[in-house]
Amino acid sequence: MISSTSNPRVKNIVSLQKKGKERRQQGLFVIEGKKLFEEILRDAKEALCDVYVTEAYLEADSQRKMLAGVSYETVSDNVMKTMAETMEPQGILATVRIPRYDKKALLAKEDAVWIALEDLRDPGNLGTVLRTAEAAGVTGVLLSAASVDMYNPKVVRSTMGAIFRVPHFYAEDFLEELKDMKRCGATLYAAHLAGTQYYDEPEYAGRSVILIGNEANGLSEEASKMADCLVKIPMEGKAESLNAAVATSLFVYEAYRKRRNRA
């Protein structure tokens, strides 16, 4: 059992939880809690690395059985509290390899629908976007380099496991990635207050990319100019815009509805 918070492995977990640079360098991130552990066992067990549990966690038969065939290290309650980001840890925590995807193969899909996020900063918004992307059958999510870290503990928790199932990529050059998508035959729809169409008017046929901008500033002028169509959401009252995750949900579900109707 690991009982000292000075243990190098404990210190490394703390570093992975707090520093995006460490996560990128090691190619690892941290998951906490029974729900996410169940999700990774089901969908991405090959990415699982080190597992840590408390003795109290092992007292429940169902939880102990869940660990059958999995190597793990027991830690004291105090150590678990030190490693965890949540206020009340559930007694299980693990490191996971950051996934890699074949972007070219995904872009080649004829009816692909992508979400492209420019400088999205809120962890909760990104988590909601990923969950919605999975539910609406989105092919992949592209993020600008300045967007919030997908492997930030708050983002990981808020994805509710979708992080293991929705392909996602960070772009070193966001605009260049958008150009690549256009070269692959994708149509770019930008969520924009100056939109000339409402979000339910386009057909979203063929390869489609839905561009969503920063929560406070929207899309940059450069990204907006690359769009094939500026699209807006009708609103009553004095509201000027919607939450980025809510806006994304409207767009991707409309694209999903149109594809279902064509099927």
Side-chain angles (χ1 to χ4, degrees):
M1 174 187 283
I2 298 176
S3 58
S4 172
T5 57
S6 297
N7 183 288
R9 296 173 70 181
V10 175
K11 288 184 175 181
N12 188 54
I13 294 292
V14 173
S15 184
L16 287 171
Q17 292 273 43
K18 297 184 180 300
K19 301 176 182 177
K21 182 179 179 181
E22 284 295 327
R23 294 191 287 268
R24 291 188 293 274
Q25 287 180 345
Q26 296 185 44
L28 297 171
F29 66 102
V30 180
I31 62 169
E32 295 182 43
K34 182 181 177 183
K35 169 66 176 174
L36 279 175
F37 193 75
E38 288 175 333
E39 296 279 351
I40 196 169
L41 286 182
R42 187 185 66 191
D43 298 311
K45 189 175 180 180
E46 68 283 355
L48 191 63
C49 293
D50 297 324
V51 180
Y52 302 89
V53 298
T54 61
E55 287 187 322
Y57 186 86
L58 296 172
E59 290 176 359
D61 287 342
S62 61
Q63 293 174 171
R64 191 170 59 253
K65 289 177 180 177
M66 185 175 65
L67 288 163
V70 176
S71 297
Y72 59 86
E73 183 81 51
T74 56
V75 300
S76 67
D77 290 343
N78 187 49
V79 166
M80 181 60 72
K81 288 180 180 178
T82 298
M83 293 193 299
E85 278 284 306
T86 51
M87 294 296 292
E88 297 185 10
Q90 295 179 20
I92 186 165
L93 176 151
T95 56
V96 177
R97 279 185 286 274
I98 290 175
R100 298 287 183 265
Y101 301 97
D102 186 342
K103 184 166 57 179
K104 287 186 178 180
L106 292 167
L107 283 173
K109 294 184 176 181
E110 293 185 2
D111 204 25
V113 174
W114 285 74
I115 299 169
L117 303 171
E118 186 181 36
D119 299 355
L120 199 74
R121 299 292 174 82
D122 183 83
N125 278 342
L126 181 52
T128 300
V129 166
L130 219 65
R131 290 170 64 189
T132 305
E134 179 182 19
V138 167
T139 308
V141 176
L142 175 72
L143 303 101
S144 66
S147 294
V148 62
D149 185 357
M150 180 71 75
Y151 309 106
N152 174 311
K154 291 181 180 178
V155 177
V156 173
R157 289 195 298 274
S158 64
T159 67
M160 298 294 287
I163 193 170
F164 305 131
R165 298 182 291 270
V166 178
H168 49 275
F169 308 86
Y170 278 87
E172 291 184 15
D173 187 327
F174 188 69
L175 297 180
E176 192 59 37
E177 291 285 353
L178 295 182
K179 289 178 184 177
D180 281 346
M181 288 176 155
K182 294 189 75 166
R183 282 192 283 266
C184 288
T187 302
L188 273 56
Y189 302 92
H192 204 287
L193 293 177
T196 56
Q197 295 186 57
Y198 288 126
Y199 78 100
D200 57 351
E201 292 184 277
E203 286 301 314
Y204 303 103
R207 299 181 183 93
S208 301
V209 181
I210 296 165
L211 297 175
I212 303 292
N214 173 266
E215 291 91 341
N217 303 312
L219 284 167
S220 67
E221 185 176 349
E222 294 80 6
S224 300
K225 286 180 177 179
M226 290 190 63
D228 297 288
C229 182
L230 300 183
V231 188
K232 61 185 177 181
I233 297 168
M235 289 180 287
E236 301 291 336
K238 297 180 180 180
E240 294 182 356
S241 63
L242 294 177
N243 170 278
V246 172
T248 304
S249 300
L250 288 172
F251 276 90
V252 297
Y253 261 96
E254 181 60 22
Y256 180 44
R257 186 182 72 83
K258 293 283 176 60
R259 284 180 292 154
R260 288 179 62 202
N261 288 344
R262 288 194 296 271

